[in-house]
Amino acid sequence: MVNFLIFGPPGSGKGTQSVQLSEKFNFIHLSTGDMLREEIAAGSELGKKVESIMQKGELVPDSVVIEMIANRIDNNPDCAGFLFDGFPRTAEQAVTLDNMLEDKSTSVNKMIVLEVEHNELVQRLLSRAEVSGRADDRDVNVIENRISVYKEKTEPIVNYYREKDKYVPVDGMGQISDIFDRLSIVIADSL
Ligand code: B4P
């Protein structure tokens, strides 16, 4: 089993690219953002708990996302690989993921980081708001907060993977298909 992380700030293309990459490489796509939005749409207790946190662009508690991810890993013991999208987002999540994978005698192959300019991130998310209706994409202040939260709490874990020689930066500017080709090369080279 292989495990790849797609990493980058909000709007960097993680979700967009993960869907296509999972199809191409037959990976299971695990997006914590999608899982949380499904809980909100279903009106579950968990969804009610996280809705206001996400609307503000803050991170939901580590324990919530860790439990969701642990269930998905446990329920797919025979898959070819996982593509983690939007997880881990904190140091605690990163260490926990490593421990969970070690228990299954596997580990993270590469952390692939999409690099995108600040203004482009904001523009992409505002454009998405027009079609998705996502509350966290509609307000430029919330978008800026999400980018700040990324810089403060998420970006530092790049070093965690860099020290393990797993960090691969990829240019996330340009056409979706060109970025897909760049990412595909990185994954194919790491299999
Ligand atoms: P996520 O769902 O992970 O969303 P995101 O960071 O906004 O990025 P996403 O993957 O959706 O967007 P993409 O760049 O693909 O997180 C949402 C919230 O959930 C977080 O703020 C947090 O509250 C919570 N959460 C999730 N995981 C968590 C965790 N582990 N711990 C704690 N909290 C967690 O695409 C953006 C737009 O750009 C799209 O419209 C796309 O079409 C467009 N786009 C993509 N590539 C493009 C390109 N090359 N050119 C032009 N447009 C492009």
Side-chain angles (χ1 to χ4, degrees):
M1 185 194 289
V2 292
N3 304 282
F4 289 91
L5 312 183
I6 291 280
F7 203 83
S12 56
K14 303 183 295 287
T16 306
Q17 298 292 342
S18 296
V19 171
Q20 298 181 34
L21 290 167
S22 301
E23 201 171 308
K24 176 172 172 137
F25 291 98
N26 197 24
F27 294 155
I28 291 186
H29 173 207
L30 295 183
S31 160
T32 40
D34 287 350
M35 292 175 208
L36 293 165
R37 283 185 288 277
E38 281 163 20
E39 294 287 344
I40 293 170
S44 70
E45 281 307 311
L46 175 63
K48 286 178 193 147
K49 188 174 157 190
V50 301
E51 187 168 16
S52 64
I53 301 174
M54 290 174 70
Q55 275 176 1
K56 286 184 265 181
E58 299 292 331
L59 296 180
V60 308
D62 287 335
S63 57
V64 170
V65 283
I66 286 168
E67 192 183 337
M68 288 190 320
I69 285 284
N71 287 339
R72 306 293 165 117
I73 294 175
D74 286 345
N75 292 339
N76 292 284
D78 301 320
C79 70
F82 289 111
L83 188 58
F84 293 90
D85 160 15
F87 181 92
R89 255 180 163 94
T90 64
E92 183 178 337
Q93 292 178 23
V95 172
T96 307
L97 177 64
D98 272 357
N99 292 337
M100 285 192 288
L101 294 178
E102 201 180 316
D103 285 348
K104 312 258 175 223
S105 305
T106 181
S107 61
V108 170
N109 293 63
K110 294 285 175 208
M111 171 208 231
I112 308 172
V113 184
L114 285 167
E115 297 186 330
V116 176
E117 290 165 13
H118 184 104
N119 289 347
E120 173 74 8
L121 298 174
V122 177
Q123 283 316 311
R124 285 184 191 178
L125 295 175
L126 288 173
S127 304
R128 181 169 65 183
E130 289 169 20
V131 281
S132 72
R134 269 177 61 172
D136 58 346
D137 286 346
R138 275 199 295 262
D139 182 333
V140 79
N141 293 320
V142 173
I143 292 175
E144 291 292 355
N145 186 41
R146 288 162 63 192
I147 296 172
S148 299
V149 168
Y150 172 80
K151 287 195 174 136
E152 185 195 334
K153 298 194 171 142
T154 305
E155 206 169 46
I157 62 175
V158 165
N159 280 335
Y160 177 79
Y161 291 99
R162 202 197 301 258
E163 282 163 14
K164 293 172 187 280
D165 211 15
K166 295 185 171 179
Y167 159 76
V168 185
V170 168
D171 182 3
M173 297 287 288
Q175 296 292 320
I176 290 172
S177 57
D178 292 337
I179 300 163
F180 176 72
D181 290 344
R182 289 173 209 146
L183 293 168
S184 296
I185 290 169
V186 172
I187 292 178
D189 282 352
S190 311
L191 291 175

